[in-house]
Amino acid sequence: MRVKIFYHDHCFDGACSAAVFACFYRRAFDAQTEFSYAGLMHRPGGSFGEMQFDADEHALLDFKFHPSEKITWWFDHHQSAFLTVVDEALFRADTSGRKFFDPGYKSCTKFIADIARDRFGVELPELAELIHWADIIDGAQYPDAETAVNLSAPAMQLTLVLEGSKDHRLRQSIVRALQVRSLAEVAAGPEIQAAFAPIQARHERAIEIFRQVGECHDGVVFFDLTGYDIEGYNKFIAYWLYPQARYSVSVSRGAHRSKVSVGYNPWSGRPREHNIASICERYGGGGHAVVGAVSLAPEALERARVIAREIAAELRDVSTVEPA
């Protein structure tokens, strides 16, 4: 049996989802299954990019719903999982018992593990550490922002490599390694450490750039990062440097997209009063209630800047603004 796994690329939860699904599938169906992997990124207009359906089965993990009948397995936990009402209707009408959606989960990794246990009777105790960390990282369940920015834990180092490495072969090797080795063993590998060193340097540089360009007003910190090569960065830097901010909004540009990123600071001590996914959906993006993004074409940078400023203005705590 040949199974191809499409998963959210440049993402710790996406990589862990692929690892957990592969282990589940081998145990539940065919121990000799041959897996291949393809990372996906959110693109302008909701495009999936080039997807080659060249296996016996295809799984789509931690990513929005795809209507193709070639997709035999689907797991997602994002509020913005459906591009159209037709897509959602197709999912609701599916009777295969192999497509699952629950936006109540912090991570897709834990969602897959729970479905494997509850629906298929497959326990994965050897992956408990992996599942635990995926839930912490994707759900921003750190005790504080400093812990989220600190890179001492193996899971945090792997997160930085997955988010920052441009080598798809290396990212996919991590997915394979996570199935059979501990987080510490994977992170300590020479190839991972060689990739981690320059990415760590970029992380330190990103902290200084965030410190320089941040504008914090009325509970919102705003970053225009378009003049810097830091498309992949630790989103919690914003809350470490600006703990008084309830929300963060940033705009950046990479080779394939201009991107607006929006998030809620869980350590601000103030309740979230906006659904960030819903706000981003109005601009063609999406995400979760606490974090979301909008992707546009690389040349649409000025539009991205306008969107970022509009969202920042919407999130500001107007009650703190002094009357004119």
Side-chain angles (χ1 to χ4, degrees):
M1 176 68 71
R2 296 176 303 120
V3 176
K4 188 169 192 176
I5 298 177
F6 297 99
Y7 65 98
H8 191 188
D9 205 0
H10 292 282
C11 171
F12 186 75
D13 187 36
C16 292
S17 293
V20 168
F21 179 83
C23 290
F24 150 65
Y25 191 96
R26 284 195 187 97
R27 194 160 302 174
F29 301 103
D30 183 357
Q32 303 304 315
T33 300
E34 176 185 331
F35 288 98
S36 59
Y37 303 90
L40 300 175
M41 291 186 67
H42 293 110
R43 296 175 179 271
S47 168
F48 282 79
E50 298 263 342
M51 293 180 72
Q52 293 186 342
F53 299 111
D54 49 11
D56 300 309
E57 290 199 65
H58 303 87
L60 180 60
L61 312 176
D62 196 32
F63 215 79
K64 58 198 171 190
F65 182 84
H66 192 298
S68 172
E69 294 181 355
K70 301 274 188 185
I71 300 292
T72 47
W73 291 89
W74 178 64
F75 291 83
D76 194 36
H77 69 127
H78 296 87
Q79 174 185 316
S80 309
F82 304 103
L83 285 173
T84 67
V85 293
V86 173
D87 284 353
E88 183 170 4
L90 286 172
F91 165 70
R92 303 295 178 193
D94 183 81
T95 59
S96 69
R98 296 188 172 192
K99 296 183 179 180
F100 304 94
F101 171 62
D102 190 338
Y105 271 83
K106 300 291 186 183
S107 71
C108 193
T109 300
K110 190 173 189 307
F111 182 34
I112 295 171
D114 284 358
I115 291 293
R117 181 195 63 223
D118 299 341
R119 300 287 187 92
F120 297 90
V122 174
E123 299 274 1
L124 299 167
E126 72 279 12
L127 299 180
E129 180 194 32
L130 179 73
I131 296 165
H132 169 75
W133 270 100
D135 220 42
I136 288 177
I137 290 172
D138 215 51
Q141 299 183 91
Y142 306 97
D144 50 51
E146 183 176 3
T147 302
V149 175
N150 186 290
L151 302 178
S152 59
M156 296 302 295
Q157 295 183 17
L158 288 171
T159 296
L160 208 64
V161 172
L162 286 164
E163 290 179 349
S165 174
K166 297 181 180 179
D167 184 350
H168 76 277
R169 180 193 59 81
L170 175 63
R171 298 194 304 274
Q172 291 181 13
S173 75
I174 292 174
V175 172
R176 293 185 175 91
L178 290 173
Q179 299 171 38
V180 295
R181 297 161 61 192
S182 70
L183 291 172
E185 290 172 333
V186 177
E191 193 173 14
I192 300 301
Q193 285 300 307
F196 175 67
I199 293 173
Q200 182 181 27
R202 292 207 299 269
H203 173 69
E204 299 296 334
R205 175 173 171 264
I207 291 174
E208 291 309 310
I209 292 171
F210 270 67
R211 199 189 308 272
Q212 293 169 18
V213 306
E215 308 169 13
C216 192
H217 304 291
D218 307 321
V220 176
V221 60
F222 180 87
F223 304 93
D224 187 335
L225 306 171
T226 56
Y228 307 91
D229 181 24
I230 56 168
E231 183 181 10
Y233 54 83
N234 183 311
K235 59 181 175 290
F236 302 110
I237 294 173
Y239 310 134
W240 182 49
L241 294 178
Y242 300 88
Q244 73 275 28
R246 180 163 46 163
Y247 300 103
S248 69
V249 180
S250 66
V251 57
S252 59
R253 179 168 66 174
H256 303 291
R257 61 181 174 177
S258 293
K259 182 180 179 182
V260 178
S261 301
V262 189
Y264 165 69
N265 179 3
W267 308 286
S268 65
R270 303 178 62 194
R272 176 180 56 83
E273 296 179 347
H274 300 78
N275 185 311
I276 291 173
S278 298
I279 292 174
C280 292
E281 285 170 1
R282 299 204 305 261
Y283 297 96
H288 299 287
V290 296
V291 63
V294 180
S295 295
L296 297 92
E299 61 272 17
L301 177 58
E302 289 307 315
R303 175 58 181 159
R305 285 186 170 129
V306 169
I307 290 172
R309 292 288 184 183
E310 287 181 356
I311 292 176
E314 180 174 351
L315 294 174
R316 286 200 177 97
D317 184 359
V318 294
S319 65
T320 65
V321 180
E322 294 183 2

